[in-house]
Amino acid sequence: QSNLFSSEIFYVDMQYILEKSKKMKIKKKFSEKEKDLDNKILEFKVLTKKKEQELIAKKNILSQENLNNEIGLLNDKIQRTQEIFKTEEQEILKLKKDYLNSSLKTITQKIIDYADQNSIKIILDKKLVLIGDNELDITKEILKIINK
């Protein structure tokens, strides 16, 4: 019966690994792209506001037809630019998702390899373990392997 309770089951804190893994530094990897997009959006809003104020100032100078024309052109530009920003945002989200999926596959494969090399039959995620001896927590060993 002692074989039944031998150390063939371990657990790993996947949340900790995802937060501390060098492969999962998504925030750093994509924050610059997100920051650039945010700056473009902010700059566009400022320019749009300025253009709106210019149109308001020209309200009494321009004919109603010319004013409507310029308002239409501005609205078209706003719509096109918003679509561009939305596309850029979706591209960043897709890149993040692809990177996350690829990284998770790599991490999972390294955990599988570790289990094979150490004759481990089951590795659980720590959040699924109600009670577990700290000696069965292999999070730090897995993190070292992943960060090599």
Side-chain angles (χ1 to χ4, degrees):
Q1 188 168 359
S2 65
N3 284 345
L4 181 63
F5 297 109
S6 65
S7 297
E8 295 177 340
I9 299 175
F10 292 85
Y11 64 91
V12 65
D13 186 344
M14 284 301 290
Q15 187 63 40
Y16 181 83
I17 286 177
L18 294 176
E19 289 172 3
K20 301 297 180 184
S21 166
K22 289 178 185 175
K23 284 203 83 45
M24 297 302 294
K25 297 296 182 188
I26 292 175
K27 289 179 185 172
K28 288 182 182 178
K29 188 167 184 71
F30 294 100
S31 65
E32 192 172 309
K33 289 182 182 192
E34 291 171 323
K35 190 183 229 182
D36 287 346
L37 181 58
D38 288 344
N39 287 340
K40 284 183 194 177
I41 291 171
L42 183 62
E43 184 178 318
F44 180 74
K45 285 181 179 180
V46 168
L47 290 174
T48 302
K49 190 70 174 169
K50 183 179 176 185
K51 185 68 176 169
E52 286 175 354
Q53 290 171 345
E54 288 173 6
L55 285 176
I56 290 170
K58 292 180 181 178
K59 185 178 176 181
N60 295 328
I61 300 170
L62 294 175
S63 68
Q64 189 63 42
E65 184 179 332
N66 285 343
L67 183 63
N68 289 342
N69 227 5
E70 289 205 28
I71 290 172
L73 290 173
L74 180 60
N75 286 335
D76 288 346
K77 184 176 182 177
I78 290 170
Q79 186 175 0
R80 283 192 315 274
T81 306
Q82 286 175 336
E83 288 171 6
I84 290 169
F85 290 153
K86 185 176 181 179
T87 301
E88 285 184 37
E89 184 178 33
Q90 289 171 341
E91 287 173 7
I92 292 170
L93 289 173
K94 184 183 180 325
L95 286 172
K96 275 177 141 179
K97 181 181 175 187
D98 291 347
Y99 184 80
L100 176 66
N101 288 336
S102 169
S103 296
L104 283 173
K105 282 181 183 175
T106 301
I107 288 169
T108 302
Q109 187 57 54
K110 289 187 179 200
I111 293 172
I112 291 168
D113 294 344
Y114 180 87
D116 289 345
Q117 292 166 3
N118 293 282
S119 302
I120 298 172
K121 293 189 178 187
I122 298 174
I123 298 178
L124 300 172
D125 190 339
K126 185 177 181 177
K127 68 182 173 192
L128 300 175
V129 176
L130 183 60
I131 299 172
D133 190 320
N134 286 339
E135 291 178 16
L136 300 176
D137 184 353
I138 56 171
T139 303
K140 291 199 165 108
E141 290 117 78
I142 297 292
L143 188 60
K144 285 178 193 173
I145 291 166
I146 290 168
N147 283 340
K148 281 184 181 177

